[in-house]
Amino acid sequence: MSTVVAFHAHPDDEVILTGGTLAKAAAAGHRVVVVTATDGRMGDEDDRTRLDELHSSTGILGAHRTECLGYADSGYGPDFYPDPPGRVRFGRADVEEAAQRLAAILRAEDAQLLLSYQANGGYGHRDHVQVHRVGKRAAELARTPRVLEATMPRELLRRVSDVCGVLRLPPPYDRDVLADAYAPSASITHRVDVRAVARQKRDAVAAHRSQLGAGVGARVYQVLLRLPPQVLAVIFRHEWFVDPTAAPGRLRDSIFDDAG
């Protein structure tokens, strides 16, 4: 059996991008470790809500260890706020220092696989871009043999956006973001069928209650969370990864299948 470390930017990213994959790995007997760069807090408020939700989510997914590197959330959008008192926003963290923190976990766990992000950070969020930089360097420092980058098919997101437009629902991403978001389908090397763990993924998403927010988008999200697992499995049936060292070819159906 192998140890996989999933490195994410914020609490809730672990389930949105890799929740089903991690649940399947844990159920198969692999050791699963989740590390987030930030605790989800924008300021210096003393609030453990996001971290408590993270631990609830990873517990549902079957993770054996959950860690946070302790950086502050950098926020999304044109404004890059100053660092809060006594803390550094992950988007401007020293890459080498952050990579050393992650590498220490990779070494301690003797990780055979690191799940990280692509260079574009999926949709350009500065913390997600930084996850790519830090994850890549940490794998080098720890000599972790394999890295896979979590992604989604760009074409699928465009179709979802079109459907949202027809239904007059808020799309997941703006059209200008989708132009070069995530990855084209042809570049994806791993597609994991997560239908069998749809209930766990739904429950892990629901654990992040503070992120459900308000408004039409949140109402739609809550409706999805109330769907039976069989229906949810049809909507969210796959999770996707890119092996940055491999040429695209046959799609692998397991993160433990080397595409190199």
Side-chain angles (χ1 to χ4, degrees):
M1 293 297 173
S2 299
T3 296
V4 54
V5 173
F7 182 43
H8 289 280
H10 316 99
D12 79 3
D13 290 330
E14 82 289 341
V15 61
I16 293 170
L17 288 169
T18 64
T21 300
L22 298 179
K24 284 187 69 173
H30 299 285
R31 181 169 173 81
V32 171
V33 178
V34 174
V35 181
T36 64
T38 80
D39 55 15
R41 290 187 293 150
M42 285 291 295
D44 59 353
E45 67 278 6
D46 184 15
D47 184 355
R48 283 192 52 88
T49 298
R50 296 291 303 276
L51 284 180
D52 289 343
E53 291 174 345
L54 172 66
H55 282 271
S56 294
S57 169
T58 57
I60 291 167
L61 297 176
H64 300 85
R65 178 182 178 185
T66 303
E67 297 288 347
C68 176
L69 299 187
Y71 292 99
D73 193 327
S74 301
Y76 180 59
D79 296 325
F80 196 175
Y81 299 104
D83 292 341
R87 308 178 71 215
V88 176
R89 298 200 186 279
F90 186 55
R92 61 169 63 96
D94 181 85
V95 171
E96 192 70 16
E97 178 183 336
Q100 289 284 3
R101 295 187 193 182
L102 178 58
I105 296 173
L106 292 172
R107 292 191 195 98
E109 292 289 345
D110 189 24
Q112 290 82 50
L113 173 62
L114 171 67
L115 303 183
S116 185
Y117 297 168
Q118 293 183 282
N120 64 1
Y123 60 101
H125 192 301
R126 55 181 64 92
D127 282 339
H128 289 236
V129 172
Q130 189 78 316
V131 161
H132 169 78
R133 298 174 183 142
V134 171
K136 181 179 180 180
R137 179 58 180 148
E140 294 170 351
L141 291 170
R143 298 184 178 180
T144 303
R146 295 183 62 232
V147 176
L148 291 181
E149 297 170 345
T151 191
M152 288 187 274
R154 188 178 300 161
E155 298 87 345
L156 174 61
L157 290 173
R158 289 173 178 168
R159 291 197 294 272
V160 170
S161 182
D162 290 339
V163 171
C164 287
V166 171
L167 299 176
R168 297 184 179 181
L169 296 173
Y173 301 100
D174 293 336
R175 270 289 175 182
D176 58 339
V177 172
L178 287 179
D180 56 1
Y182 291 99
S185 295
S187 69
I188 292 174
T189 58
H190 293 70
R191 184 182 66 190
V192 181
D193 189 326
V194 297
R195 286 175 290 180
V197 291
R199 183 187 297 274
Q200 281 175 271
K201 181 162 182 171
R202 181 195 63 182
D203 292 348
V205 169
H208 293 281
R209 294 179 182 85
S210 68
Q211 298 309 291
L212 295 181
V216 176
R219 289 198 296 272
V220 172
Y221 198 40
Q222 291 172 24
V223 167
L224 288 175
L225 289 176
R226 294 191 181 99
L227 291 174
Q230 299 87 340
V231 177
L232 196 69
V234 173
I235 301 173
F236 301 109
R237 63 183 299 175
H238 293 121
E239 290 174 353
W240 302 267
F241 302 87
V242 171
D243 182 338
T245 68
R250 179 180 64 84
L251 277 175
R252 274 63 178 177
D253 59 10
S254 169
I255 57 173
F256 302 104
D257 188 352
D258 192 345

